[in-house]
Amino acid sequence: MFLTISTTGSAAGPATDLGFLLHKHPDRAQVFATSYGDAHVFYPEASAERCTAALLLEVDPPALVRRGRGKGRGGAPDAALAQYVNDRPYAASSLLAVALRTVFASALRGECRALPERAAAPLPLRIEVPALPARGGAALVARLFEPLGWQVAAEPVRLDERFPEWGDSRYVRLVLEGELRLSDALRHLYVLLPVLDDAKHYWVSADEVDKLLRFGEGWLAGHPEQHLITRRYLARRWSLTREANERLELVRLADADDVEVEEIDNAVEAEQPEGTEERPAPLAVQRREAILAGLRAAGAARVLDLGCGQGQLVAALLKEPRFTEIVGVDVSVRALEMAARRLRLDRMGERQSSRITLLQGSLAYTDKRLKGYDAAVLSEVVEHLDPPRLPALEYAVFGAARPRTVIVTTPNVEYNVRWETLPAGHRRHADHRFEWTRREFRDWAEAVAARHGYDVEFHPVGPDDPEVGPPTQLAHFTGTGTGTGPASDAPRQKKEDAA
């Protein structure tokens, strides 16, 4: 596998600065051992006007096969059909991407103590890859690289020059030209080489999501082919792809609002400015007490806390032995980590910890793990969704999971006039997509109940103002066994899933 990186320069900024940025001296050829062979770095040309660094990965095919055995679908994808005769040693792939990360680690991070200003500035770059697998052809190569600022030349390679009627292979000769920071260029290659190959030589685990977001920082969230990139990079593992796309959506929203991701992650409660809400702690306590009272009245033992955030309700449920199984679900990995620390799961006794499960998941998708429970709670969750996504949440909870009891709480926008320091027209939280009046909440809840076979009752939470109502409104849904799918099917579904 072969790749070259070239740049041009002048006396004021010689092209040989590339050696500093890559942390590899132009006067020396260097060899680096990898798990699949040796990676060679050398400079075919190095002058003030033009400098080219070459990375040659000399793959050991037997090592590739040996390391691929016993690793399921993630190990050496082509080895199952062709043990030693395949394109892995020759065509750029995830092997070359891993070599880039191994050999040019500091350059990938944009670190250069000798020339920090050069590392932070765009350079005129030319990158050439003689043999690149491209499942999707030259058109896909352009769709992936052009939005990142590259001029793309992707020339299809003929299957056999002697027989032009056979057509083109799935390989291209790739040339990229543009003015970018070297670290950005390397990160583009690290992510997109295996995406174009649409295969990885190693097992794709959950930590690949973190790697994708780390190397895709600053460009992946706004890329028009984001979903294709995440799906292929994560080897089409649906759960990992979903997690990556949801985390990237938070990044996109943060960029659009010019705030930190943590500020819009509705599961991670930042400290509110003083006076934003009147005595928020007592109201939060009243919400939890109202929810617990509803769960006790329903006789629930196995409870889902959907959108559990940092685990305040989970902690309250844990204090009552009647709740024998408690599942907290949230889209935010960070929030779940904070919940685990808040609950001290690592120091909890086995009997207590066996009652708790924390799951990462999105309420916009159906999830078979959530079927068969007595009750589900959506506490201060629905208002954080864009209205077009509410039908998806509705179906995931009431149509697919179908617990016998569902408790939903949400702010009452009419009460906002009672918050003296909340500016008129402002919502209580920057991430709230809407806040309903009592009539709007009642209309939504009654329509959901009718569609899915539930009865619904409404209760105030907090002081019930005679003019504007309570600060929080609560809907208590109880399954009736009618609608699109009887809620009474939940116990039977649980047994079928277990079988």
Side-chain angles (χ1 to χ4, degrees):
M1 299 181 190
F2 190 66
L3 175 149
T4 61
I5 304 171
S6 303
T7 189
T8 56
S10 61
T16 48
D17 285 351
L18 183 63
F20 288 101
L21 301 180
L22 291 173
H23 298 261
K24 303 293 179 288
H25 200 288
D27 291 341
R28 291 199 298 270
Q30 300 181 56
V31 183
F32 302 86
T34 75
S35 301
Y36 300 94
D38 293 332
H40 304 262
V41 178
F42 57 95
Y43 289 76
E45 55 182 337
S47 67
E49 293 75 28
R50 183 175 176 83
C51 184
T52 298
L55 174 64
L56 171 65
L57 180 60
E58 192 176 16
V59 177
D60 178 7
L64 180 62
V65 173
R66 285 196 302 271
R67 290 183 62 86
R69 286 183 182 141
K71 294 186 179 179
R73 61 184 178 184
D78 290 347
L81 296 178
Q83 288 285 310
Y84 297 104
V85 183
N86 57 61
D87 66 351
R88 299 288 122 187
Y90 315 108
S93 67
S94 58
L95 287 167
L96 186 59
V98 171
L100 277 172
R101 184 185 176 196
T102 302
V103 176
F104 299 136
S106 297
L108 265 166
R109 294 192 297 270
E111 297 175 357
C112 182
R113 293 183 181 179
L115 297 173
E117 69 287 349
R118 290 284 271 170
L123 300 174
L125 295 173
R126 179 184 173 93
I127 295 173
E128 299 184 51
V129 184
L132 174 65
R135 297 182 190 270
L140 178 60
V141 179
R143 281 163 38 206
L144 294 180
F145 282 101
E146 284 180 350
L148 302 174
W150 293 104
Q151 295 180 8
V152 180
E155 179 187 353
V157 177
R158 291 294 184 101
L159 282 169
D160 193 319
E161 295 292 346
R162 297 171 298 173
F163 302 97
E165 66 273 15
W166 289 2
D168 297 330
S169 68
R170 68 182 182 94
Y171 302 91
V172 298
R173 296 184 183 93
L174 176 64
V175 178
L176 302 174
E177 292 185 295
E179 288 209 7
L180 294 90
R181 293 186 303 175
L182 179 63
S183 60
D184 291 337
L186 293 174
R187 289 190 294 131
H188 297 165
L189 292 169
Y190 178 80
V191 172
L192 296 180
L193 289 181
V195 167
L196 283 165
D197 188 19
D198 200 13
K200 283 199 171 183
H201 67 276
Y202 56 87
W203 172 249
V204 174
S205 57
D207 61 356
E208 289 293 298
V209 176
D210 293 327
K211 284 197 292 184
L212 173 61
L213 268 61
R214 184 164 67 252
F215 292 110
E217 183 178 0
W219 62 270
L220 181 54
H223 198 291
E225 297 293 341
Q226 173 199 310
H227 291 282
L228 180 144
I229 293 169
T230 55
R231 185 172 67 251
R232 286 192 175 192
Y233 184 89
L234 297 169
R236 303 176 186 271
R237 294 191 60 188
W238 177 80
S239 60
L240 299 183
T241 302
R242 184 181 67 178
E243 176 188 344
N245 285 327
E246 287 166 350
R247 290 171 63 180
L248 286 166
E249 177 65 10
L250 288 178
V251 173
R252 186 190 66 77
L253 291 172
D255 288 343
D257 294 340
D258 196 24
V259 297
E260 297 296 324
V261 171
E262 289 80 3
E263 293 184 41
I264 67 165
D265 186 346
N266 60 19
V268 181
E269 296 176 1
E271 291 186 8
Q272 297 297 312
E274 186 176 352
T276 302
E277 283 191 1
E278 250 181 9
R279 294 173 14 182
L283 181 57
V285 171
Q286 290 179 64
R287 267 198 302 267
R288 284 196 290 274
E289 289 178 348
I291 291 167
L292 291 170
L295 294 173
R296 294 187 203 109
R302 304 174 67 243
V303 179
L304 298 166
D305 182 7
L306 304 177
C308 66
Q310 299 172 59
Q312 292 94 331
L313 179 59
V314 172
L317 291 166
L318 186 63
K319 292 178 182 178
E320 300 196 23
R322 73 175 70 234
F323 302 117
T324 58
E325 186 176 349
I326 306 159
V327 178
V329 182
D330 207 282
V331 70
S332 170
V333 175
R334 179 169 176 258
L336 293 173
E337 291 171 349
M338 294 174 70
R341 289 197 296 270
R342 174 189 288 270
L343 296 166
R344 299 184 179 180
L345 288 181
D346 57 337
R347 287 178 279 177
M348 190 179 290
E350 183 177 349
R351 185 175 179 180
Q352 283 286 77
S353 63
S354 66
R355 295 169 60 199
I356 298 177
T357 303
L358 298 179
L359 300 176
Q360 196 278 334
S362 168
L363 301 181
Y365 301 92
T366 58
D367 190 336
K368 65 181 179 182
R369 298 175 298 177
L370 308 184
K371 289 184 178 181
Y373 286 84
D374 299 330
V377 177
L378 289 159
S379 179
E380 309 301 287
V381 170
V382 294
E383 65 273 10
H384 291 275
L385 274 71
D386 291 314
R389 302 189 74 181
L390 284 175
L393 175 141
E394 173 190 331
Y395 180 75
V397 176
F398 295 89
R402 296 195 61 77
R404 292 198 301 270
T405 297
V406 181
I407 295 176
V408 179
T409 72
T410 191
N412 168 23
V413 69
E414 296 169 85
Y415 193 88
N416 287 358
V417 298
R418 296 294 187 252
W419 304 128
E420 294 180 0
T421 56
L422 184 65
H426 283 231
R427 295 168 184 159
R428 300 187 199 177
H429 191 287
D431 188 51
H432 285 186
R433 301 302 195 263
F434 60 86
E435 289 175 355
W436 275 323
T437 65
R438 287 168 290 172
R439 181 72 264 169
E440 288 169 335
F441 181 52
R442 183 178 291 270
D443 288 345
W444 174 81
E446 289 176 346
V448 169
R451 281 192 290 268
H452 299 283
Y454 286 82
D455 287 333
V456 61
E457 298 177 353
F458 300 92
H459 304 280
V461 179
D464 195 357
D465 189 286
E467 295 181 4
V468 297
T472 296
Q473 41 194 343
L474 181 150
H476 186 126
F477 297 82
T478 304
T480 63
T482 62
T484 57
S488 57
D489 280 352
R492 178 171 59 83
Q493 183 65 54
K494 173 187 167 187
K495 293 178 181 179
E496 290 174 356
D497 289 347

